[in-house]
Amino acid sequence: MKPKSKVLIIAGSDSSGGAGIQADIKTVTALGSYAMTAITAITSQNTTGVKSIVSIDPKEILNQIVFTCKDIKPDAIKIGMLHSSKIIKSVMKGLNKVKISKIVLDPVMIAKGGARLIDNKAINILKSKLIQKVSLITPNIPEAEILTKTKIKNLDNMINAANILLRCGAQNVLVKGGHLNKKNVINVFLNRKELKIFKNKKISTKNTHGTGCTLSSAITAYFACGKTLKKSCELGTKYVNSAIGSNLKYGKGCGPINHLNSVIIKKKFR
Ligand code: PXL
């Protein structure tokens, strides 16, 4: 097949392959689109935790974005780990130059094992400036709590947080409820015209490393192909659910989900 669309991913590298830019490339590819990257940081990690993080020079991040897009224009952009305020400023400069309207922001803050992937100054710029430049922001519960300075314990709290983010200038918000201790996973999609609640059975497993990166990449891939954001969120959630359900059991800690669950290999390549 020929790729259905082109996606630029601006995110950090996860050496263990389950989250970060590795998850993003696998997801975009598994959903039939062409992946390009601008790497913001390199993490050394395995399923038991993060050993170290090195940021890429903001100038180099800008170069990756601008030079790549000048040649192959993406249909949409996904943004993941942004380690510092300098990096966010550089990414915003890049976005202004490349003028792509479909942008999905996953406000990555903390890795599964608890390692911080963003500093406080960066969180403030993300909330006050970057949020206004993107089509969709996809916080999980802890991220939504930090961004809105509220406590989130139930569906009403999630909707309230999504409304606060709209007031901060977000166009569309997807608050992901996987962290709530409930039988179902509830995701709340909200914009100024509609509210949609996606409900899925929670799959009990510790192997959920990279779910956030994977979901935002899947949404971006569908959005790049021309689906609405609401439909992209619905389909992205289905893809991640099936990837979690496959339960790979790789590594000694929180293992990766199965990005390949959507793929069938042709006979001649088996
Ligand atoms: O899942 C958040 C995330 C994003 N980006 C990178 C990561 C992680 C979590 O480990 O390593 C690079």
Side-chain angles (χ1 to χ4, degrees):
M1 66 171 282
K2 281 206 176 121
K4 293 185 285 190
S5 72
K6 303 181 239 62
V7 174
L8 174 73
I9 303 148
I10 304 172
S13 163
D14 164 9
S15 59
S16 75
I21 215 137
Q22 287 79 358
D24 301 331
I25 297 171
K26 290 173 200 182
T27 301
V28 168
T29 309
L31 292 176
S33 286
Y34 181 80
M36 300 179 277
T37 61
I39 298 186
T40 57
I42 296 175
T43 69
S44 298
Q45 61 178 300
N46 64 25
T47 62
T48 67
V50 177
K51 187 169 174 59
S52 57
I53 302 173
V54 176
S55 287
I56 302 296
D57 183 338
K59 259 195 287 175
E60 275 313 307
I61 299 171
L62 181 64
N63 280 348
Q64 293 175 76
I65 297 169
V66 175
F67 203 62
T68 305
C69 291
K70 203 161 104 177
D71 185 40
I72 304 177
K73 196 174 155 93
D75 300 292
I77 296 177
K78 177 240 151 106
I79 306 174
M81 178 180 169
L82 301 171
H83 198 39
S84 67
S85 54
K86 278 197 184 124
I87 290 180
I88 298 194
K89 282 180 191 155
S90 193
V91 166
M92 286 199 298
K93 205 163 160 187
L95 296 178
N96 282 342
K97 283 202 170 150
V98 301
K99 297 190 172 63
I100 304 296
S101 63
K102 295 181 176 181
I103 306 173
V104 175
L105 171 64
D106 181 15
V108 171
M109 294 186 189
I110 299 160
K112 273 263 142 43
R116 284 203 68 159
L117 301 175
I118 188 168
D119 64 35
N120 283 339
K121 209 165 146 199
I123 293 176
N124 288 336
I125 299 190
L126 188 151
K127 189 179 159 181
S128 60
K129 301 239 163 69
L130 182 58
I131 198 170
Q132 293 164 19
K133 296 202 169 294
V134 304
S135 322
L136 172 72
I137 181 166
T138 63
N140 59 25
I141 299 280
E143 289 157 357
E145 287 185 328
I146 290 170
L147 288 170
T148 61
K149 298 197 168 84
T150 61
K151 273 265 159 250
I152 302 176
K153 298 245 177 294
N154 55 37
L155 176 61
D156 279 351
N157 300 158
M158 289 172 76
I159 296 171
N160 178 51
N163 269 305
I164 294 173
L165 292 172
L166 287 188
R167 272 182 251 128
C168 291
Q171 293 170 37
N172 297 274
V173 181
L174 182 73
V175 180
K176 303 171 292 184
H179 286 79
L180 290 184
N181 214 350
K182 300 248 173 354
K183 260 204 248 122
N184 293 310
V185 176
I186 293 171
N187 290 346
V188 171
F189 175 83
L190 184 74
N191 60 31
R192 280 172 190 79
K193 292 198 195 110
E194 55 186 341
L195 166 68
K196 173 84 189 170
I197 291 158
F198 301 109
K199 205 169 171 184
N200 284 285
K201 264 229 167 73
K202 190 165 206 163
I203 301 165
S204 168
T205 170
K206 67 177 169 108
N207 300 316
T208 56
H209 177 60
T211 44
C213 305
T214 302
L215 177 60
S216 53
S217 285
I219 293 169
T220 312
Y222 287 118
F223 192 32
C225 289
K227 307 258 188 236
T228 65
L229 266 177
K230 190 170 84 173
K231 190 73 189 169
S232 301
C233 288
E234 182 190 330
L235 293 170
T237 304
K238 276 193 187 148
Y239 170 77
V240 171
N241 253 23
S242 129
I244 297 171
S246 169
N247 203 6
L248 285 180
K249 301 196 182 85
Y250 285 179
K252 295 183 182 68
C254 287
I257 61 176
N258 182 13
H259 300 98
L260 292 186
N261 219 31
S262 64
V263 175
I264 296 164
I265 311 262
K266 270 192 177 171
K267 215 170 186 178
K268 66 175 171 178
F269 295 118
R270 263 184 215 151

